[in-house]
Amino acid sequence: MDISLIVSNILNPPILFFFLGMTAVFVKSDLEIPAPMPKLFSLYLLFAIGFKGGVELIKSGVTQEVVLTLAAAMMMACVVPIYTFFILKWKLDTYDAAAIAATYGSISAVTFITASAFLTELGIAFDGYMVAALALMESPAIIVGLILVNIFTNDGKREFSWPEVLQEAFLNSSVFLLVGSLLIGVLTGEHGWKVLEPFTQGLFYGVLTFFLLDMGLVAARRIKDLQKTGVFLILFAILIPILNAGIGLAIAKFIGMPRGDSLLFAVLCASASYIAVPAAMRMTVPEANPSLYVSTALAVTFPFNIIVGIPLYLYGINLFWR
Amino acid sequence: MHVVKKIEIIANSFELAKILDSLDKSGVHSHAVIRNVAGKGLRGTTEDLDMTMLDNVYILAFCMPEQLKPVVENIKPLLNKFGGTCYVSDVMEIRSVRCVASM
């Protein structure tokens, strides 16, 4: 594998600031981002990426390629939790297996945004409608996870408040803002983009960098929880993204996606949710241990994907897309 | 001055709506919420969802002593399911009978 890809990825300011955040925790610095700020950054990133995606979507139009890509995204969001659940069932109980499976079936918007930044850095084009795939992949895993709990728990059928579950799955703040911004981008098009460009484009990388600094702090704090998860889950959190990305790349190749879109699709398949799904699982499957599903997603899979995963998947694309 | 019950709840913001709804159903319609509460072990669990979209909240409410039973009945299942802690104490309320603002 071309090490220069990893090096050029690591030498990006957002990734270096992620390391800086982790370092701050390891050396016991008192660096702390005031609590409401990361939430604001997170909402800004969803708003900006959603809006940009909507503008790009109206430019490209709804073609057969778009429909195929979105269908593949939905399929992966439903299938990934099923096979990961059975892998996890070897070592874990149904509740933990289902919660982790749902976490890995869903996506991480920040990993996607980091991959977009990486592609922009390398000058590789990608289509804006991939944001629609991002929005579509956030929620189905929650539903699949709950269905798995329903089927495999021994205490009979659990009673979920399905309206509440569906509301949390499809109307949680991140999905709502992302889809809403996407629709506003579609409605306002190029004119809207010009009006908001200083905010949605000019500030974007600065906010992403600051957000990753905070993510570094949070991920490093979560590392101590990995003592509870054991070697199996740590290995799972590294190997399952590679497997999911591999399947994603095979589908992308089959559909005929261009290189940039293929990388984003692979990253969506490989990433794990640490915002929407943990919140939904907490509400619907309180028996599952958050130390397991939050720590693996946030302290192992997220850093792995943004540091090694993204260049690794691009290396795979460069091998097979010739 | 007269005795009222002070209810203090520390929970995750994710359960905030449910807790406030339960207080409302119990006849406690006024409350104060302090967000982004940091601390250790006060939520009745060592697990803290240290994430970008979820924070801990501190809920402060007051009720008359006779209202306390339904509050406990409604809040207890939520704390049992999601974690979090609830403290009840006796406090004195100073109620102004000649408040200038209301005259």
Side-chain angles (χ1 to χ4, degrees):
Chain A
M1 181 184 160
D2 190 1
I3 295 295
S4 67
L5 270 180
I6 294 181
V7 172
S8 75
N9 182 44
I10 287 174
L11 292 178
N12 267 327
I15 306 298
L16 287 173
F17 272 93
F18 179 82
F19 283 131
L20 187 70
M22 289 188 101
T23 307
V25 173
F26 296 146
V27 300
K28 294 187 167 61
S29 162
D30 62 349
L31 175 66
E32 199 179 329
I33 315 291
M37 297 302 285
K39 201 181 282 190
L40 175 68
F41 296 150
S42 168
L43 293 172
Y44 166 83
L45 290 171
L46 291 166
F47 161 85
I49 196 82
F51 185 72
K52 188 180 180 183
V55 173
E56 295 292 330
L57 184 61
I58 204 69
K59 272 189 206 167
S60 63
V62 181
T63 59
Q64 187 191 359
E65 195 184 344
V66 174
V67 173
L68 273 175
T69 302
L70 298 185
M74 285 288 282
M75 187 196 76
M76 279 303 277
C78 295
V79 170
V80 169
I82 296 170
Y83 66 76
T84 48
F85 174 76
F86 289 107
I87 294 169
L88 290 158
K89 275 282 280 178
W90 286 341
K91 292 273 183 182
L92 301 171
D93 66 27
T94 300
Y95 300 116
D96 287 330
I100 297 171
T103 302
Y104 280 81
S106 188
I107 51 91
S108 153
V110 179
T111 310
F112 176 90
I113 290 164
T114 309
S116 312
F118 178 69
L119 287 171
T120 306
E121 189 83 16
L122 294 176
I124 300 171
F126 58 90
D127 288 299
Y129 61 75
M130 290 307 292
V131 176
L134 165 82
L136 284 174
M137 286 179 86
E138 181 103 62
S139 307
I142 297 169
I143 308 298
V144 174
L146 294 181
I147 290 169
L148 288 168
V149 169
N150 238 348
I151 294 169
F152 289 94
T153 41
N154 299 324
D155 50 3
K157 288 274 179 278
R158 284 165 51 91
E159 282 302 314
F160 292 118
S161 164
W162 283 104
E164 214 173 51
V165 167
L166 292 172
Q167 170 153 8
E168 181 49 38
F170 293 99
L171 294 175
N172 69 70
S173 58
S174 39
V175 174
F176 184 80
L177 182 62
L178 188 68
V179 174
S181 304
L182 186 95
L183 291 174
I184 291 168
V186 166
L187 289 171
T188 57
E190 199 60 38
H191 166 72
W193 177 251
K194 280 198 180 96
V195 171
L196 283 177
E197 194 175 10
F199 184 66
T200 50
Q201 186 71 21
L203 292 176
F204 187 82
Y205 286 100
V207 174
L208 174 64
T209 303
F210 216 94
F211 185 71
L212 280 175
L213 170 69
D214 181 65
M215 290 302 297
L217 292 166
V218 174
R221 282 187 214 120
R222 282 269 162 193
I223 281 176
K224 67 177 187 299
D225 285 349
L226 295 176
Q227 294 163 346
K228 301 175 205 166
T229 62
V231 177
F232 169 76
L233 266 186
I234 295 171
L235 282 174
F236 169 88
I238 293 169
L239 296 176
I240 207 75
I242 298 172
L243 173 69
N244 293 344
I247 295 168
L249 287 179
I251 292 169
K253 179 76 177 165
F254 179 73
I255 291 174
M257 281 189 212
R259 285 171 68 219
D261 293 0
S262 300
L263 178 77
L264 293 179
F265 185 65
V267 163
L268 287 174
C269 295
S271 63
S273 169
Y274 46 82
I275 296 174
V277 175
M281 286 296 126
R282 190 181 156 74
M283 180 184 80
T284 51
V285 192
E287 297 88 345
N289 181 357
S291 285
L292 301 182
Y293 57 84
V294 178
S295 303
T296 47
L298 200 51
V300 184
T301 302
F302 177 71
F304 171 79
N305 272 330
I306 64 165
I307 296 160
V308 179
I310 294 169
L312 180 70
Y313 312 145
L314 185 63
Y315 174 73
I317 290 167
N318 290 341
L319 275 183
F320 296 106
W321 262 248
R322 280 173 183 154
Chain B
M1 291 210 301
H2 61 284
V3 173
V4 293
K5 296 286 181 183
K6 179 165 80 164
I7 304 158
E8 293 168 285
I9 301 168
I10 299 165
N12 192 276
S13 61
F14 194 71
E15 287 96 56
L16 179 63
K18 289 186 177 68
I19 291 169
L20 296 184
D21 194 40
S22 295
L23 286 173
D24 214 37
K25 277 181 193 163
S26 313
V28 181
H29 305 297
S30 307
H31 60 260
V33 175
I34 301 169
R35 288 181 175 274
N36 302 310
V37 173
K40 188 183 173 189
L42 274 176
R43 285 193 45 239
T45 166
T46 53
E47 171 56 41
D48 195 5
L49 281 183
D50 186 4
M51 291 189 299
T52 48
M53 302 297 264
L54 296 169
D55 55 330
N56 293 323
V57 290
Y58 174 91
I59 302 158
L60 176 67
F62 298 92
C63 68
M64 299 308 288
E66 59 272 19
Q67 286 179 296
L68 188 62
K69 196 168 177 280
V71 169
V72 173
E73 281 169 2
N74 286 322
I75 293 290
K76 208 173 180 179
L78 289 175
L79 299 181
N80 286 341
K81 187 174 179 183
F82 299 117
T85 48
C86 177
Y87 300 93
V88 179
S89 51
D90 288 324
V91 290
M92 300 298 287
E93 182 185 31
I94 303 168
R95 189 179 292 167
S96 171
V97 290
R98 288 186 59 81
C99 177
V100 174
S102 63
M103 290 172 91

